[in-house]
Amino acid sequence: MSERICVIGTGYLGATHAACMAELGFDVLGVDVDERKIAMLSAGVVPFAEPGLDELVSRHVREGRLRFTTSFAEAAEFAAVHFVCVGTPQSRDGDGADLSAVFAVTETLGPLLSQDTLVVGKSTVPPGTAERVSERLAALAPPDVTVEVAWNPEFLREGHAIEDTVRPDRLVLGVASAEAEKTLRHVYRQSIREGVPIEVTDVPTAELAKLAANAFLATKISFINAMAELSDLVGADIVSLADVLGYDDRIGRRGLNAGLGFGGGCLPKDIRALTAQAAELGAGVAQLLSSVDTANARMRDRVVDLAVEACDFAPRGRRIAVLGAAFKPLSDDVRDSPALHVASTLDALGARVRVYDPVANETARRAAPTLEYVDSARDAVTDADLVLHLTEWPEFRTLDPLALGAVVNHRRIIDGRHGLDPDRWRLAGWSYRALGRVTRETV
Ligand code: UGA
């Protein structure tokens, strides 16, 4: 069986998949329409922050096992297995997924195919997409070429992309033939040998599995956040409550951290894509997921409200330090970032917002240029009237509240991620507030 693989689309998913396939010993060709990205990757440089990926890409580029191109003709000739990893963002004009990149690949690749080919979708798509791709490819490919489409969704988390690709917690093979299954089992033989659970299923189930997994994760987060609001009202403590729930294996503690809610390039757009499709089909899950989305947005508003209250309801001109801009730690991704949303809202209310993120300052500056960005937590909090902890980077956990207390204007902190130790901050003379925590005080 051929040891050559094409990976089309070299964003987060594709660049990681391409590098990890090279690591597994395949000859890999990464393809993208973005010339700048291809030039960077060809030089062994990853255009975004992901722990370990730079090293993996540069090593395999150097050793010649990983190459990048903008030529689909070269790709069609290079391999008989093509992984499609292009982005499927939210549509500009609605909640549904924008599948234009998936179909652009289909239209370009189809007529160029010169050998029997397996196209394996990894992009997150609504069920039914693979069938449309398959129909188009059959129509576009030369008559003597057979093209089959399989779906093999990816569950990688930003910040843990390599680990999640090399040692996934499950493999999902959505296939329509034994031949496609055999090819994919060959690609993933190392993971299979290591005992990674594998679910061989039909194509629509594989497509839905990814959206359903993200929808469940989002629901779990919105549930615990809704409980945080209730905890505030009844005097309960959300962190302790989450621990209690988490001990139940059926619930589990992971992904049950209350706070500012979810953001990023996946969970928000995926629940909306599923909601849009479900609504169109008249399925009840549309209502459930729409409340999950609303509950999530509410957390951002509640943190803004707390901040405004801490500014005596007069935020104009107040100095607010924001710790964290990325949508989560270990990433420079600010797409739909809750932290940046709160910072920008307070900026719009007239506050003087100063942001520090250990790696996302640059991406944040591009997305929200009116905020001030500084290079350390200390610089951010100097002279601040209020400090907001909005992305739980490990370095914030070890900040010294005594030292920072000496440079702020007021020792007031709102912990939007429950990542700090309230006792340490209070002992150092700070007023510490967090949503859903018992020990509330007036700030
Ligand atoms: C998510 C899924 O976790 C991956 O399995 C999936 O493959 C990926 O989307 C995707 O579709 O490509 P990711 O967006 O990297 O991965 O981030 P998560 O770690 O799931 O976090 C998403 C958001 O939820 C972040 O803003 C995070 O701060 C928030 N979150 C997460 C919480 O508020 N509480 C938690 O307990 C966990």
Side-chain angles (χ1 to χ4, degrees):
M1 207 169 275
S2 169
E3 299 300 306
R4 289 176 161 199
I5 281 175
C6 268
V7 176
I8 304 175
T10 58
Y12 245 101
L13 170 58
T16 308
H17 189 64
C20 290
M21 289 296 107
E23 178 75 4
L24 291 178
F26 290 96
D27 277 329
V28 183
L29 184 61
V31 191
D32 205 293
V33 289
D34 184 337
E35 288 178 9
R36 191 185 135 263
K37 222 186 255 178
I38 289 299
M40 286 178 79
L41 287 163
S42 299
V45 179
V46 177
F48 50 85
E50 178 63 36
L53 193 58
D54 255 319
E55 194 275 325
L56 201 63
V57 168
S58 59
R59 179 156 52 83
H60 289 299
V61 165
R62 213 169 41 240
E63 290 170 5
R65 197 167 294 137
L66 177 59
R67 286 189 305 114
F68 294 93
T69 182
T70 54
S71 164
F72 278 74
E74 192 185 342
E77 198 184 320
F78 180 79
V81 179
H82 296 260
F83 284 93
V84 177
C85 298
V86 294
T88 51
Q90 185 176 337
S91 300
R92 275 178 211 279
D93 52 0
D95 280 352
D98 173 356
L99 300 173
S100 55
V102 172
F103 287 105
V105 168
T106 310
E107 297 298 314
T108 312
L109 187 66
L112 297 169
L113 293 174
S114 53
Q115 54 186 320
D116 291 350
T117 299
L118 179 64
V119 171
V120 188
K122 283 190 95 60
S123 305
T124 303
V125 296
T129 307
E131 195 181 336
R132 286 170 59 202
V133 169
S134 179
E135 281 165 10
R136 281 307 292 154
L137 286 173
L140 293 162
D144 56 333
V145 166
T146 307
V147 197
E148 183 169 351
V149 176
W151 223 262
N152 163 226
E154 183 60 60
F155 300 94
L156 66 81
R157 295 159 301 163
E158 292 185 20
H160 304 269
I162 297 176
E163 183 190 323
D164 286 351
T165 305
V166 177
R167 267 174 295 281
D169 47 18
R170 78 287 217 190
L171 277 167
V172 178
L173 311 184
V175 288
S177 76
E179 193 55 34
E181 179 183 343
K182 195 171 149 206
T183 304
L184 286 173
R185 279 184 180 274
H186 177 73
V187 169
Y188 292 118
R189 61 190 182 277
Q190 182 170 318
S191 299
I192 295 170
R193 217 182 296 126
E194 285 169 3
V196 170
I198 178 166
E199 184 73 17
V200 180
T201 186
D202 54 74
V203 175
T205 305
E207 291 170 300
L208 182 56
K210 172 58 188 283
L211 285 172
N214 275 0
F216 189 86
L217 293 171
T219 304
K220 196 171 174 184
I221 296 167
S222 277
F223 176 83
I224 202 66
N225 282 333
M227 285 298 135
E229 183 174 2
L230 189 57
S231 293
D232 262 335
L233 298 170
V234 301
D237 185 89
I238 192 59
V239 176
S240 175
L241 182 75
D243 288 344
V244 174
L245 298 183
Y247 284 122
D248 185 330
D249 278 350
R250 291 169 304 173
I251 299 174
R253 183 65 176 83
R254 286 174 68 201
L256 205 59
N257 292 325
L260 247 187
F262 57 83
C266 303
L267 262 46
K269 63 111 177 157
D270 286 351
I271 54 165
R272 287 172 203 149
L274 198 50
T275 306
Q277 190 180 38
E280 214 178 285
L281 298 171
V285 71
Q287 276 160 331
L288 176 69
L289 294 180
S290 161
S291 331
V292 167
D293 203 7
T294 311
N296 190 51
R298 194 174 158 86
M299 301 316 291
R300 302 176 186 195
D301 294 344
R302 293 192 64 223
V303 171
V304 169
D305 289 348
L306 264 191
V308 169
E309 188 190 329
C311 295
D312 307 316
F313 301 98
R316 183 161 294 283
R318 295 298 182 98
R319 291 192 174 90
I320 299 182
V322 168
L323 302 179
F327 86 103
K328 68 170 191 180
L330 303 184
S331 170
D332 66 349
D333 196 343
V334 297
R335 283 176 295 171
D336 205 348
S337 163
L340 207 54
H341 179 100
V342 168
S344 298
T345 307
L346 291 168
D347 174 58
L349 291 173
R352 293 161 65 183
V353 181
R354 203 187 277 159
V355 180
Y356 166 65
D357 187 287
V359 307
N361 270 6
E362 281 320 305
T363 43
R365 196 195 306 274
R366 285 200 289 274
T370 60
L371 308 179
E372 185 189 349
Y373 296 90
V374 291
D375 291 331
S376 72
R378 190 190 163 89
D379 284 352
V381 307
T382 300
D383 297 330
D385 297 308
L386 172 67
V387 178
L388 304 181
H389 172 243
L390 302 184
T391 310
E392 68 280 31
W393 283 94
E395 73 169 63
F396 296 151
R397 213 175 303 139
T398 56
L399 285 174
D400 178 356
L402 262 183
L404 295 187
V407 299
V408 292
N409 202 17
H410 287 286
R411 294 181 188 180
R412 282 192 283 233
I413 186 158
I414 295 171
D415 184 359
R417 289 293 181 183
H418 298 150
L420 308 175
D421 177 352
D423 293 340
R424 267 186 83 220
W425 288 76
R426 290 206 175 102
L427 273 173
W430 287 73
S431 156
Y432 170 97
R433 286 191 77 172
L435 297 173
R437 302 225 67 179
V438 258
T439 36
R440 297 184 58 185
E441 333 150 294
T442 317
V443 269

